[in-house]
């Protein structure tokens, strides 16, 4: 018996459980044998305040202090660079405004990323306020909070059945029955499937695949201090990672919930777009993989109790923003569940709660 069961051991579920565990007994059930196996384990691990919808940006900004200060801070400098060809000027101006970057010269961009093709990089924009996130440590720290508050984090516990009881919920996971007054759905790509299992109407949350390739450091360069760099319209991006370079086609292809893998053709097309802007060809891949980014119909996160049924709580549709929004998103969810007034403005809360999708 526990007060709240959280289903899902990614960053969404762990952060929500940690916040809730200060006021309730919480049990986290994760289907895989490791935490953060799916989307959370395949994140680009970037904190960029100006990235996302207005409601996402509000969560980013409200999370910034936590990322900088909690447990010694989770951020390290990275920087963000946008590059564009002459024919892409209109798209570049739009991205520059949306991402809040400052225009710099192509030569300045080349000094930051020396493999850029000087014949192609006609426009560039940069700002320093983009950071790497220590995602694994963040997940482990949230899990530690749950345990230190008397809760449980249980892996290898796939949910087999969910039923209503007079007092709330009964969840069968790998042959073990758990009971609780409230159920938090933090099942990521499986959020709608879990809702249906609990007898709750789905919201239309759809997972989308995004592929990634890990390349050797191009041209033998030390990429440690390079910024993350994007093609305009986010048609590809590249990010230094432990001496190598991650390159993504930045695709967004709707798929069924699954243990995702990279699509070879999509990956090849994305790498070709990246190669078009650099002078070092891609000759081999160290590895490749894919993750799922799940979106609600309006592409905003879904946080809070199901309208008319507060025993069922949504913590879903992070859309690739899970880590950077986690501190504020989890606090909002806990405030709504416990019954406290949220710190976020009412109009932002209205853009995030599931009520908006039930009208």
């Amino acid at each position: 018996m526990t007060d709240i069961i959280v289903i899902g051991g990614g960053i969404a579920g762990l952060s929500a459980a940690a916040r809730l565990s200060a006021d309730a007994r919480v049990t986290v059930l994760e289907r895989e044998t490791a935490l953060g196996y799916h989307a959370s384990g395949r994140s680009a691990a970037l904190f960029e305040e100006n990235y996302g919808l207005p409601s996402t940006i509000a969560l980013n900004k409200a999370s910034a202090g936590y990322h900088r200060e909690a447990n010694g801070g989770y951020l390290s400098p990275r920087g963000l660079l946008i590059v564009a060809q002459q024919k892409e000027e209109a798209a570049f101006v739009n991205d520059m405004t949306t991402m809040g970057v400052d225009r710099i010269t192509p030569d300045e961009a080349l000094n930051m990323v020396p493999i850029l093709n000087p014949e192609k990089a006609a426009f560039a924009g940069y700002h320093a306020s983009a950071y790497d996130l220590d995602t694994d440590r963040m997940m482990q720290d949230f899990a530690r909070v749950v345990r230190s508050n008397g809760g449980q984090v249980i892996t290898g516990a796939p949910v087999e059945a969910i039923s209503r009881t007079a007092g709330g919920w009964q969840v069968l996971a790998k042959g073990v029955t758990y009971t609780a007054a409230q159920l938090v759905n933090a099942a990521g790509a499986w959020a709608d499937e879990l809702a249906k299992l609990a007898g709750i109407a789905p919201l239309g949350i759809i997972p989308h695949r995004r592929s990634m390739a890990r390349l050797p450091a191009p041209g033998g360069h030390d990429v440690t201090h390079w910024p993350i760099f994007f093609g305009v319209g986010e048609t590809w991006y590249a990010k230094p990672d432990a001496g190598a370079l991650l390159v993504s086609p930045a695709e967004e292809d709707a798929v069924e919930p699954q243990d995702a893998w990279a699509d070879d053709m999509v990956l090849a097309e994305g790498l070709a777009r990246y190669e078009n802007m650099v002078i070092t060809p891609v000759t081999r891949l160290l590895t490749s993989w894919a993750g799922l980014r799940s979106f609600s119909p309006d592409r905003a996160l879904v946080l809070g109790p199901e309208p008319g049924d507060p025993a069922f709580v949504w913590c879903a549709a992070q859309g690739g923003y899970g880590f950077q929004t986690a501190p504020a998103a989890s606090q909002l969810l806990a405030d709504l569940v416990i019954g406290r007034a949220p710190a976020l403005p009412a109009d932002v809360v209205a853009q995030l709660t599931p009520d908006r999708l039930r009208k």
Side-chain angles (χ1 to χ4, degrees):
M1 179 66 188
T2 190
D3 296 322
I4 301 172
I5 295 171
V6 177
I7 299 177
I11 186 58
L14 291 173
S15 59
R19 301 292 200 183
L20 290 164
S21 69
D23 298 286
R25 291 172 297 168
V26 180
T27 296
V28 178
L29 300 177
E30 165 54 44
R31 63 184 287 169
E32 307 295 347
T33 56
L35 297 174
Y37 176 83
H38 290 284
S40 294
R42 309 172 198 195
S43 167
L46 184 76
F47 179 66
E48 165 51 66
E49 282 191 23
N50 298 316
Y51 193 33
L53 295 176
S55 60
T56 305
I57 292 172
L59 290 171
N60 295 342
K61 292 182 180 299
S63 297
Y66 188 98
H67 286 313
R68 292 190 182 100
E69 299 164 11
N71 303 306
Y74 297 100
L75 304 180
S76 55
R78 175 55 58 199
L80 182 146
L81 176 69
I82 299 172
V83 292
Q85 300 180 60
Q86 187 71 47
K87 64 183 180 181
E88 299 171 321
E89 183 175 9
F92 168 74
V93 171
N94 180 71
D95 280 4
M96 191 171 63
T97 301
T98 302
M99 298 296 288
V101 302
D102 296 320
R103 189 161 183 168
I104 62 173
T105 67
D107 284 344
E108 289 173 313
L110 282 164
N111 285 335
M112 295 178 185
V113 181
I115 64 167
L116 290 174
N117 187 335
E119 296 180 2
K120 295 290 183 68
F123 304 103
Y126 175 78
H127 74 75
S129 299
Y131 303 90
D132 286 345
L133 267 169
D134 191 338
T135 54
D136 182 66
R137 186 164 65 87
M138 186 185 299
M139 284 194 295
Q140 297 303 327
D141 284 348
F142 278 129
R144 192 174 298 113
V145 170
V146 176
R147 297 185 182 108
S148 67
N149 285 333
Q152 300 180 85
V153 178
I154 301 170
T155 56
V159 172
E160 299 159 6
I162 302 174
S163 56
R164 299 301 294 256
T165 68
W169 299 97
Q170 188 174 83
V171 177
L172 179 65
K174 203 174 183 181
V176 179
T177 299
Y178 303 85
T179 58
Q182 289 178 295
L183 180 66
V184 176
N185 178 2
W190 288 266
D192 265 2
E193 299 303 312
L194 186 80
K196 288 187 282 187
L197 193 62
I200 302 294
L203 289 174
I205 295 171
I206 299 175
H208 293 72
R209 184 194 62 231
R210 175 156 290 188
S211 302
M212 186 78 74
R214 194 164 193 265
L215 314 179
H221 288 278
D222 179 0
V223 302
T224 304
H225 301 294
W226 289 8
I228 186 171
F229 52 111
F230 286 77
V232 289
E234 199 176 341
T235 52
W236 60 269
Y237 68 82
K239 182 177 186 286
D241 178 67
L245 193 67
L246 303 180
V247 178
S248 174
E251 86 273 26
E252 198 173 281
D253 297 334
V255 296
E256 294 296 317
Q258 61 187 265
D259 188 354
W261 65 92
D263 180 286
D264 290 343
M265 183 60 69
V266 170
L267 198 58
E269 291 171 350
L271 288 171
R273 292 193 293 271
Y274 155 79
E275 282 186 294
N276 188 50
M277 290 297 291
V278 299
I279 57 174
T280 51
V282 176
T283 56
R284 67 186 179 99
L285 274 61
L286 298 174
T287 187
S288 66
W289 66 90
L292 300 181
R293 306 159 78 239
S294 298
F295 293 96
S296 67
D298 63 5
R299 299 180 68 84
L301 281 72
V302 183
L303 304 169
E306 168 71 18
D309 193 349
F312 187 90
V313 181
W314 293 89
C315 182
Q318 278 72 25
Y321 306 109
F323 278 103
Q324 62 180 35
T325 62
S330 59
Q331 187 61 61
L332 171 61
L333 183 135
D335 290 342
L336 294 171
V337 169
I338 302 302
R340 295 184 293 257
L344 290 169
D347 63 323
V348 173
V349 175
Q351 296 171 55
L352 295 167
T353 53
D355 306 58
R356 73 190 195 270
L357 299 173
R358 294 301 194 197
K359 296 176 181 177

